[in-house]
Amino acid sequence: MVYTSIKKREVNLNGGTFVRKAIFWDSDGTILYSNESFKISFLRACADNGYNVDEQIVKQFMVKSCSWYSPEKDHSDLSGEEWWNDLLNKMHIFCKEIGISDCDVEIICNSFRRKVIDYEYEAYPDANEILTYFHNMGYENYIISNNFPELGQVFERLGLAYISGVFTSAAMGYEKPRKEAYQYAIGQAGYPELCIMIGDNPVADYQGGMKAGMKAILVHSTPLNDEVCCADLMDLKRLIKE
């Protein structure tokens, strides 16, 4: 299946015509390598303060506490800084449960947050090239990710080119594959006529994007059914034509 521009057109200020086209990219596993930044950052924060914490217990806490593990829940009342406050409040309780001294809890929680933002995230080697390629084809590139509010700082730090906006679930109040998350991102992008969702998760990215009216492509993933799929980012050139 090849995705091409649709026929509906807008008139620009110079009297010509153009089609608004946008690609919405997932973050971890798509543009960035998959990572365990939350678990690792907490373990590092504990170690810096002299605590050796069981990795599996921390992983279980993150699954119970991070909003993207419960995507069916509406947390629009906890977005941005409120999202962080909610997670850190849960972390305060968790720290005390695993024997961290009261005087160290606040230090560890604040350190954890800084470490998550400053974590050594790594982009796929072809990420910058493919973002530039589609920009030159007239697409706007956006990130839509189940992630923490400051994710945009990560993309700036990595120097990735031609990203017009970054939408995270922690800032929007909804997780993919909820339709509200996609509707928010599409609206903020100005309702492009052609929207393509690219991600590695068959449910959150592919099915979620399709249900929101987007075209969708899986990358770096194994399809569950008959999803349109490619092995790497550069292979997207074959599937998306101008």
Side-chain angles (χ1 to χ4, degrees):
M1 183 181 297
V2 175
Y3 296 134
T4 59
S5 301
I6 56 179
K7 293 183 178 180
K8 180 181 177 182
R9 294 183 180 273
E10 293 179 348
V11 178
N12 68 21
L13 295 177
N14 296 319
T17 59
F18 66 92
V19 172
R20 287 283 315 286
K21 304 183 293 184
I23 297 178
F24 294 81
W25 304 84
D26 173 53
S27 176
D28 297 357
T30 302
I31 295 294
L32 307 180
Y33 282 104
S34 296
N35 58 79
E36 295 183 288
S37 62
F38 273 57
K39 182 191 74 175
I40 293 172
S41 293
F42 182 78
L43 290 170
R44 289 174 176 174
C46 289
D48 288 349
N49 290 276
Y51 294 92
N52 183 20
V53 182
D54 183 83
E55 181 177 338
Q56 192 59 35
I57 292 175
V58 175
K59 186 173 184 177
Q60 292 170 358
F61 166 75
M62 294 301 174
V63 170
K64 288 192 299 183
S65 304
C66 292
S67 55
W68 39 83
Y69 291 108
S70 302
E72 71 282 357
K73 294 182 180 178
D74 176 342
H75 60 90
S76 55
D77 59 330
L78 296 172
S79 59
E81 194 63 22
E82 290 82 5
W83 180 90
W84 269 120
N85 290 338
D86 180 68
L87 177 60
L88 294 177
N89 285 338
K90 295 174 183 175
M91 188 167 286
H92 273 72
I93 298 171
F94 173 67
C95 285
K96 294 179 181 181
E97 289 175 346
I98 61 176
I100 292 176
S101 172
D102 287 352
C103 62
D104 291 327
V105 169
E106 190 72 23
I107 295 171
I108 287 174
C109 288
N110 289 337
S111 175
F112 158 76
R113 179 174 178 175
R114 291 194 302 271
K115 289 178 184 296
V116 165
I117 297 171
D118 295 337
Y119 187 83
E120 57 272 24
Y121 300 96
E122 184 180 0
Y124 278 92
D126 48 358
N128 217 33
E129 182 177 351
I130 201 67
L131 289 167
T132 302
Y133 173 82
F134 284 116
H135 168 79
N136 292 337
M137 282 182 62
Y139 286 87
E140 294 179 55
N141 294 305
Y142 295 94
I143 304 297
I144 179 169
S145 177
N146 289 352
N147 228 312
F148 60 94
E150 298 88 348
L151 183 65
Q153 296 180 27
V154 174
F155 287 94
E156 291 178 5
R157 190 166 70 239
L158 292 173
L160 293 174
Y162 303 115
I163 296 175
S164 298
V166 178
F167 310 113
T168 70
S169 59
M172 294 185 292
Y174 300 101
E175 307 289 329
K176 298 180 298 180
R178 284 185 67 117
K179 193 173 183 179
E180 296 95 330
Y182 287 100
Q183 289 172 332
Y184 178 91
I186 292 170
Q188 290 295 305
Y191 299 100
E193 286 87 357
L194 177 61
C195 295
I196 301 175
M197 178 65 209
I198 298 174
D200 67 307
N201 189 300
V203 176
D205 300 320
Y206 196 95
Q207 294 178 18
M210 293 286 282
K211 288 178 180 178
M214 294 176 163
K215 308 296 184 182
I217 302 174
L218 277 181
V219 67
H220 304 142
S221 180
T222 301
L224 292 178
N225 299 298
D226 57 351
E227 295 93 346
V228 179
C229 187
C230 58
D232 56 47
L233 294 174
M234 297 310 293
D235 196 33
L236 291 166
K237 294 181 179 181
R238 174 180 59 85
L239 296 176
I240 303 175
K241 302 296 183 181
E242 189 171 5

